[in-house]
Amino acid sequence: MSRSLFTLAAVLVLGSCSGGSKAPPSNLDDACSIAAQRPEYMKAFKQTERKWGVPVHVQMSTIYYESRYRGDARTPHQFVLGVIPVGRQSSAFGYSQALDGTWDQYRKETGRRGAKRDRIKDASDFIGWYMNKTREKNGIALTDARNQYLAYHEGHAGYARGSHRAKSWLLRVADQVAARADMYGGQLSSCRKFRY
């Protein structure tokens, strides 16, 4: 009896220790706290900035609004008659909330066949790749967090058509993305654990 209790306790302790890296950092309003808690995030963001030119603070704000730093984030289920589940709102998944088709295109074009949406370095690289396409197709600067987010949300063609203009809620969120990017940028510039 005591041996099985010991085994159960050991399993629970080990289980609580695993998967912690998937949990979001505890203070998402403080870029320095994120850097201290998740140095692997900052390494990924810096690598993406060097490769694609998307500033770290723009990546960070995008991920905040897409998934709140949850690697396993998914869109909510849809229900018929309020009770019968019929699937999720979209195939968006992971830190970057990339859709299945867009993720497949990213992996094919970049040769990163093993990339996973729930791995921060891959999600960050995806954001860099996508925002560069936005710059090429829509002429939006990589430093323009607001309009980059609008194109990220609506897609390149949707942004070009102006589909975002009729969505006041989305315009408000895009303003918040820009404000958070500015906040993160200011915090990172004075953060001892992070050097631009």
Side-chain angles (χ1 to χ4, degrees):
M1 181 73 122
S2 64
R3 185 172 177 86
S4 63
L5 284 175
F6 175 78
T7 303
L8 178 60
V11 168
L12 290 173
V13 167
L14 289 173
S16 68
C17 294
S18 68
S21 64
K22 295 278 186 194
S26 62
N27 185 355
L28 297 180
D29 293 332
D30 185 344
C32 294
S33 177
I34 295 170
Q37 291 176 62
R38 299 289 191 278
E40 70 275 16
Y41 287 12
M42 304 319 280
K43 181 179 178 185
F45 298 151
K46 287 179 181 180
Q47 186 175 0
T48 292
E49 183 176 49
R50 284 190 299 273
K51 180 178 177 181
W52 298 106
V54 178
V56 169
H57 60 280
V58 173
Q59 298 173 56
M60 290 180 71
S61 187
T62 301
I63 287 175
Y64 175 87
Y65 280 97
E66 288 299 294
S67 67
R68 297 298 195 269
Y69 286 84
R70 286 183 32 242
D72 62 352
R74 292 183 184 275
T75 59
H77 283 283
Q78 291 182 313
F79 295 89
V80 173
L81 303 174
V83 292
I84 304 168
V86 292
R88 297 193 180 270
Q89 291 176 356
S90 77
S91 63
F93 175 71
Y95 290 106
S96 62
Q97 288 292 282
L99 298 170
D100 288 352
T102 313
W103 188 258
D104 290 344
Q105 181 187 357
Y106 157 73
R107 291 192 307 175
K108 182 179 178 184
E109 287 186 13
T110 61
R112 296 175 55 112
R113 298 267 180 216
K116 296 184 177 184
R117 290 179 279 184
D118 62 353
R119 194 164 37 204
I120 194 68
K121 70 177 186 174
D122 296 333
S124 173
D125 193 70
F126 170 82
I127 288 170
W129 168 83
Y130 193 89
M131 289 188 173
N132 264 274
K133 288 199 165 297
T134 300
R135 182 176 51 97
E136 293 166 10
K137 293 179 177 193
N138 302 102
I140 301 170
L142 298 174
T143 55
D144 183 349
R146 180 183 187 277
N147 286 298
Q148 279 285 352
Y149 185 78
L150 289 170
Y152 192 87
H153 190 277
E154 296 295 281
H156 300 126
Y159 181 87
R161 284 192 314 271
S163 61
H164 56 286
R165 292 189 194 109
K167 298 176 181 177
S168 58
W169 64 270
L170 178 58
L171 296 172
R172 280 193 303 276
V173 172
D175 289 340
Q176 293 167 0
V177 171
R180 181 166 291 270
D182 289 344
M183 179 184 79
Y184 281 158
Q187 291 168 345
L188 291 172
S189 68
S190 61
C191 181
R192 281 185 288 178
K193 290 216 177 256
F194 182 86
R195 298 270 187 254
Y196 258 121

